[in-house]
Amino acid sequence: MKDTKQSILIVSYFYAPIVNPRAIRWTAIAEQWVRNGFDVHVVSSWFPGLARRESINGVKVFRIGGGLTESIRAKLTGGNGRTELALTKGNGISVGKIARFIHDISWKKIYWPDSSCLWTRSAIHESSRLMMRINMSSFITVSDPYTSHLAGLALSHRFPNIRWLVDIGDPFSFEESTPPNNRRIY
């Protein structure tokens, strides 16, 4: 008898064990799908201390990109990922505040659609590799950050016969952690 297990790909910048609303929700959904007999793969961003590839409760997780950017972010935040930056000089001047100022007047003015945009290329590459190797029945892109949808758009052109579901979270939320960064593009 032929195995008819359906395979699903989730492209989400955040996934377990990251604590984030999208990661928590999609981890629960992915694990439930595995319990229901689906073959679930996740492409997410790598963060220091996490394995590049692992299986979590039956979900195959592939963490990509992020090497340089996440290492810098970990140094500036002391590894906690919060906006308060950890490095200070003895005279009370915060190196973190200087780095944040430089970020705000330079990189923040040009990245699009969000600061995770450097992850897009890696997400497209790894997702394409998986989609060519595994007969996926569908793929899902999760935001925010919205970068995963750019990857999804490229994937939908490369694999037009695979269903694409876009999860933009709650469009009615009043989340202030992702304000528009480049007002000329918006």
Side-chain angles (χ1 to χ4, degrees):
M1 187 170 214
K2 188 177 178 183
D3 182 17
T4 58
K5 184 183 271 193
Q6 288 191 352
S7 295
I8 300 170
L9 173 65
I10 300 169
V11 181
S12 177
Y13 190 82
F14 298 109
Y15 192 77
I18 300 299
V19 178
N20 164 294
R22 304 306 186 263
I24 292 168
R25 181 175 73 208
W26 279 101
T27 299
I29 292 170
E31 290 176 2
Q32 182 61 50
W33 283 342
V34 166
R35 287 190 293 275
N36 290 348
F38 289 88
D39 183 32
V40 181
H41 299 79
V42 174
V43 171
S44 70
S45 183
W46 174 79
F47 292 90
L50 297 180
R52 291 284 184 172
R53 286 183 167 75
E54 68 179 318
S55 180
I56 303 174
N57 296 322
V59 178
K60 296 162 197 83
V61 181
F62 301 83
R63 294 190 187 91
I64 45 92
L68 176 63
T69 57
E70 291 309 320
S71 295
I72 290 170
R73 188 182 328 234
K75 283 183 176 49
L76 292 175
T77 62
N80 66 12
R82 294 197 180 124
T83 54
E84 318 77 69
L85 299 170
L87 301 175
T88 58
K89 289 191 173 224
N91 62 5
I93 297 172
S94 169
V95 173
K97 286 182 182 178
I98 293 169
R100 172 64 62 192
F101 174 76
I102 292 168
H103 165 270
D104 289 350
I105 65 168
S106 60
W107 175 237
K108 189 173 181 179
K109 301 288 185 198
I110 60 173
Y111 62 65
W112 191 86
D114 50 53
S115 62
S116 303
C117 63
L118 296 177
W119 179 74
T120 307
R121 191 175 196 163
S122 297
I124 293 168
H125 176 76
E126 184 66 15
S127 297
S128 293
R129 186 186 72 75
L130 289 168
M131 292 169 90
M132 285 188 290
R133 201 182 82 207
I134 300 163
N135 185 21
M136 299 288 177
S137 57
S138 56
F139 72 98
I140 301 155
T141 56
V142 179
S143 64
D144 57 308
Y146 302 100
T147 299
S148 65
H149 301 317
L150 289 180
L153 182 61
L155 294 168
S156 72
H157 290 296
R158 289 183 187 181
F159 304 94
N161 296 326
I162 300 176
R163 283 176 293 194
W164 175 25
L165 173 72
V166 176
D167 175 18
I168 59 169
D170 180 5
F172 302 104
S173 75
F174 296 101
E175 184 175 0
E176 294 185 22
S177 66
T178 55
N181 59 297
N182 189 329
R183 296 200 183 272
R184 278 183 257 155
I185 292 175
Y186 286 101

